[in-house]
Amino acid sequence: MKKHQQFSLFLFLSLFTPSLSSSPAPQQFREAPKFYNAPQCVDTNNSTNQFFMCSNDAVHIAMTLDATYIRGSMAAVLSILQHTSCPQNVFYHFVASASADEPLLRSTIVAAFPYLSFTIYPFRDSAVAGLISTSIRSALDCPLNYARSYLADLIPPCVGRVVYLDSDLVLVDDIAKLASIPLAGDKVLAAPEYCNANLTSYFTPTFWSNPSLSLTFADRNACYFNTGVMVIDLNRWRSDEYTRKIEEWMELQKRMRIYELGSLPPFLLVFAGNIEPVDHRWNQHGLGGDNFRGLCRDLHPGPVSLLHWSGKGKPWVRLDAGRPCPLDALWAPYDLLKPPYSFGS
């Protein structure tokens, strides 16, 4: 090929080939139906957003928001509204990175849920970035993944209890049942426990071979629990400074590697063996497979109130790729994403 032909071809490709570095178009979502309270619900129609945010009559839910998982977040919100008796009494406390496009996130939520009661709190990545150690999966190293440790600082003091939920789940039961679970004694967290899981595998030989560290669980009947579904007493968390306790373990992890799996192990170190156990129906977790291949998995035996695609495989990714797992069909009805051809409608 002659030089002038090569130049012409280069110019054509430069002008008409989309840049690989250009950012993808933001996802657009369908507007969800409006859901109304049942007659027995407390009437909150005349409450301002600021007053309702502090109301004890509200079910307070905390979730993180980012561009990668917002499709999952929207499905989770829809499932909660659809299955609760008092959808107008649910208040959402969303946490987004301070560097995120907050106006875009807000407008995306409002477009799909015009009547939703919510606020968005900016989370400074720098607050935790220096404490994060690399884990077995890069997605677990995102600073926003650690925001659950800072909810008591981000959410106003008038809110005393919150249900924290990951973005890769859907509910098929009333969230109010989970939110109202009593926390006995000095318990700070409520979550399903899995005492058949091998807790030792979540920590390194360095941890177990250290005489002082290995005694961490000595006086506790410590069991694994998944931090993607938790009922949290924020007042007790604040008064006992649990964020500082979690950070102390993260600081130790920077000096000597005692675990491999992101934000979960510090929660186990602080809380395992001292949480309020919840029925397993409220976290049918692991549907995303393991942290390496994300293979398909079946439901655990027993009833189901919440389906959780924890692990590498996410239902929206597998559905888009045309390689869904059988249980991904249970997530699909809550997917509000508009297909590309309908963006102009």
Side-chain angles (χ1 to χ4, degrees):
M1 185 181 291
K2 295 181 180 179
K3 287 185 177 179
H4 73 275
Q5 291 174 316
Q6 292 175 329
F7 177 77
S8 299
L9 178 61
F10 171 79
L11 182 62
F12 175 84
L13 292 174
S14 300
L15 290 172
F16 296 102
T17 302
S19 171
L20 296 177
S21 62
S22 60
S23 58
Q27 299 174 91
Q28 296 186 30
F29 298 89
R30 294 179 286 110
E31 182 178 330
K34 184 178 181 181
F35 297 92
Y36 295 90
N37 282 353
Q40 71 270 19
C41 301
V42 175
D43 185 6
T44 60
N45 285 337
N46 296 323
S47 301
T48 64
N49 197 64
Q50 187 67 30
F51 175 82
F52 186 47
M53 182 172 64
C54 294
S55 172
N56 291 328
D57 294 322
V59 172
H60 294 276
I61 297 175
M63 299 177 70
T64 58
L65 276 184
D66 68 352
T68 302
Y69 284 92
I70 193 167
R71 186 172 171 188
S73 302
M74 303 292 269
V77 170
L78 176 59
S79 73
I80 293 166
L81 296 174
Q82 185 170 321
H83 293 286
T84 185
S85 297
C86 305
Q88 293 171 289
N89 293 8
V90 180
F91 193 95
Y92 291 84
H93 302 264
F94 293 118
V95 181
S97 170
S99 60
D101 188 341
E102 192 270 348
L104 177 60
L105 291 174
R106 181 177 296 276
S107 63
T108 301
I109 296 169
V110 170
F113 302 103
Y115 308 101
L116 200 70
S117 298
F118 74 94
T119 192
I120 300 177
Y121 307 97
F123 179 67
R124 293 183 300 105
D125 295 352
S126 59
V128 72
L131 295 172
I132 296 175
S133 301
T134 55
S135 62
I136 60 175
R137 183 157 61 94
S138 59
L140 300 176
D141 301 336
C142 172
L144 194 60
N145 197 44
Y146 291 79
R148 71 195 78 192
S149 302
Y150 296 87
L151 294 176
D153 300 324
L154 295 166
I155 296 175
C158 61
V159 180
R161 171 183 283 229
V162 73
V163 179
Y164 173 81
L165 299 174
D166 274 350
S167 298
D168 52 357
L169 54 78
V170 294
L171 278 89
V172 292
D173 203 344
D174 194 334
I175 186 68
K177 298 177 185 176
L178 177 62
S180 62
I181 287 173
L183 291 167
D186 62 350
K187 298 291 197 310
V188 179
L189 297 183
E193 289 184 314
Y194 304 91
C195 295
N196 292 329
N198 182 10
L199 192 68
T200 60
S201 65
Y202 289 91
F203 302 96
T204 64
T206 300
F207 176 86
W208 294 113
S209 62
N210 184 293
S212 59
L213 296 179
S214 61
L215 293 175
T216 301
F217 301 110
D219 298 325
R220 296 188 255 165
N221 183 23
C223 297
Y224 162 79
F225 66 94
N226 180 276
T227 56
V229 179
M230 299 183 289
V231 181
I232 306 174
D233 187 312
L234 295 176
N235 291 330
R236 293 175 185 172
W237 184 295
R238 295 177 184 116
S239 63
D240 292 334
E241 300 182 339
Y242 279 101
T243 296
R244 179 182 56 79
K245 295 176 182 180
I246 288 174
E247 287 181 337
E248 287 174 353
W249 282 110
M250 295 174 68
E251 290 167 354
L252 178 62
Q253 163 77 351
K254 297 292 287 187
R255 299 196 300 270
M256 52 189 296
R257 196 164 183 86
I258 58 174
Y259 55 79
E260 303 287 355
L261 195 62
S263 63
L264 169 64
F267 268 83
L268 296 178
L269 289 163
V270 173
F271 293 109
N274 193 32
I275 70 170
E276 189 69 35
V278 175
D279 193 291
H280 288 180
R281 70 187 302 153
W282 287 106
N283 195 352
Q284 284 271 351
H285 70 291
L287 304 185
D290 59 27
N291 282 299
F292 297 100
R293 292 182 293 172
L295 300 178
C296 298
R297 286 186 177 173
D298 294 327
L299 289 174
H300 306 290
V304 180
S305 292
L306 185 151
L307 298 153
H308 186 188
W309 280 262
S310 57
K312 184 178 181 181
K314 302 306 174 191
W316 56 91
V317 175
R318 297 192 295 214
L319 286 163
D320 286 353
R323 296 191 298 272
C325 293
L327 292 176
D328 295 345
L330 300 177
W331 181 90
Y334 303 100
D335 186 13
L336 288 173
L337 185 71
K338 283 185 178 181
Y341 59 79
S342 69
F343 278 8
S345 61

